[in-house]
Amino acid sequence: MNKKGFIFDLDGVIVDTAKYHFLAWKELAKSLDIEFTEEENEQLKGVSRVRSLEKILAWGNKTISEELFNDLMGKKNEEYLSYISEMDENEILPDVPRVLNLLKVKQQPISLGSASKNARTILERVNLKSSFDAIVDGNDVSKAKPDPEVFLIAAKQINIKPEDCIVFEDSVAGVTAANTANMISIGIGSKAILGHANYVFKDFTEISDDFIASLIEN
Ligand code: G6P
Ligand code: MG
C-alpha cells in the first residue's frame, strides 16, 4: 500500500481552542487597558504565543519591559491552561475521529504539527494522543509558521518525504508553511481566507473517505 504522511495542525483543526485563547488574551489585554476584539483574535490563529502578545501590544500602542512581557506570557498561559484543563472528547471537531480512524486502517503515518506548547496536554485531555505516530509542537521548533520547520520535522519523524506529506491547516500562516515545505495543503475553513491552499473544506464532514483514498493513491 502507498504511504503518505498526514500532518494535522491542532488548534482549529482537531479542536476549537481559539475561544479559550480569546478569553485568556482578552483578560490580559483588559489588564493593560487594551481593547481586544474577536476580529483581532482571528488574526492570532496559528501565531506563536510571543508573537501574539507583540501584536496585541502593537494594536494597543503599548510598550512594556521585558520582565513584564515574560510575566504576562506566563499569566496568559496559566489562564489558558485553566480552560483547557476542562476539555474532553466532546470538544473534538466533527468527523476528525472518522478521518483519523480511516488513516489508521489504511496504515498511513500520522503526525501532529502545531505551534502550541500545550499540544500534548490538549491531546491527552481529548484522548487522542495515541492516534499520532509523532507529535511535533511549539516546544520542538525555533521558527514559527509560516516557516515550514514544524512540518519538515514532522515529516522526518514519520519518515516520509515532504512531497509525500499532506497537511491539514486552518491558518493562513500554516497553509503558507505547508506550501513552502512542498507538501499538499488542505485548508480547513473558508476559501476566502485560505485560497492559497491546494484544497479547502469547511470542516472534516466535507472530506469524504474517497477523497482521502485518492490522496493516498496519487
Ligand atoms: C496555535 C494557535 C495560536 C496560539 C499558538 C501557540 O497556533 O492557533 O492561537 O497562539 O498555537 O499556542 P500556545 O498554546 O503555545 O500558547
Ligand atoms: Mg490552527
Side-chain angles (χ1 to χ4, degrees), residues 168-213:
F168 296 98
E169 250 294 344
D170 71 312
S171 76
V172 172
V175 167
T176 303
N179 292 344
T180 308
N182 206 10
M183 300 176 175
I184 291 175
S185 53
I186 302 189
I188 302 293
S190 91
K191 279 203 173 91
I193 296 172
L194 304 173
H196 55 318
N198 292 115
Y199 304 91
V200 182
F201 297 97
K202 182 173 65 61
D203 57 33
F204 280 88
T205 65
E206 286 191 345
I207 301 182
S208 69
D209 289 2
D210 285 350
F211 177 71
I212 296 287

Side-chain angles (χ1 to χ4, degrees), residues 11 21 44-49 52 76 80 115-118:
D11 297 291
H21 281 295
L44 299 184
K45 283 189 177 168
V47 175
S48 71
R49 202 182 306 163
S52 297
K76 186 271 171 177
Y80 180 63
S116 172
K117 294 189 171 173
N118 298 302

Side-chain angles (χ1 to χ4, degrees), residues 7-216:
I7 305 175
F8 291 74
D9 173 48
L10 176 68
D11 297 291
V13 168
I14 293 174
V15 285
D16 173 24
T17 42
K19 54 182 188 256
Y20 302 133
H21 281 295
F22 178 63
L23 291 171
W25 282 130
K26 198 174 169 61
E27 179 95 13
L28 176 145
K30 202 171 130 204
S31 77
L32 291 168
D33 242 352
I34 297 175
E35 253 223 83
F36 179 58
T37 64
E38 287 208 50
E39 288 69 43
E40 285 164 340
N41 191 55
E42 274 298 305
Q43 296 177 47
L44 299 184
K45 283 189 177 168
V47 175
S48 71
R49 202 182 306 163
V50 179
R51 188 74 197 107
S52 297
L53 182 50
E54 285 170 357
K55 277 175 169 272
I56 291 170
L57 292 170
W59 289 327
N61 256 321
K62 293 255 175 222
T63 339
I64 57 171
S65 70
E66 198 183 323
E67 198 189 341
L68 181 56
F69 189 99
N70 291 333
D71 187 48
L72 289 174
M73 291 257 293
K75 286 213 174 97
K76 186 271 171 177
N77 200 48
E78 267 172 41
E79 181 80 9
Y80 180 63
L81 281 171
S82 74
Y83 291 114
I84 62 176
S85 67
E86 304 283 316
M87 287 177 83
D88 63 25
E89 287 160 47
N90 293 319
E91 297 213 33
I92 300 172
L93 289 168
D95 271 16
V96 168
R98 172 182 57 83
V99 172
L100 287 171
N101 287 337
L102 179 66
L103 293 173
K104 200 179 183 87
V105 169
K106 292 189 174 286
Q107 294 173 33
Q108 302 298 303
I110 306 173
S111 179
L112 193 82
S114 165
S116 172
K117 294 189 171 173
N118 298 302
R120 285 177 173 81
T121 310
I122 294 171
L123 287 181
E124 265 162 25
R125 292 298 322 162
V126 301
N127 215 0
L128 278 183
K129 209 167 170 201
S130 61
S131 299
F132 291 86
D133 300 299
I135 295 173
V136 183
D137 68 12
N139 299 294
D140 306 307
V141 298
S142 55
K143 287 170 253 156
K145 298 170 189 174
D147 191 283
E149 186 185 22
V150 64
F151 296 141
L152 292 173
I153 298 176
K156 206 172 210 162
Q157 289 206 4
I158 50 177
N159 236 332
I160 302 286
K161 288 185 285 186
E163 58 267 37
D164 288 328
C165 287
I166 294 113
V167 173
F168 296 98
E169 250 294 344
D170 71 312
S171 76
V172 172
V175 167
T176 303
N179 292 344
T180 308
N182 206 10
M183 300 176 175
I184 291 175
S185 53
I186 302 189
I188 302 293
S190 91
K191 279 203 173 91
I193 296 172
L194 304 173
H196 55 318
N198 292 115
Y199 304 91
V200 182
F201 297 97
K202 182 173 65 61
D203 57 33
F204 280 88
T205 65
E206 286 191 345
I207 301 182
S208 69
D209 289 2
D210 285 350
F211 177 71
I212 296 287
S214 75
L215 289 171
I216 298 169

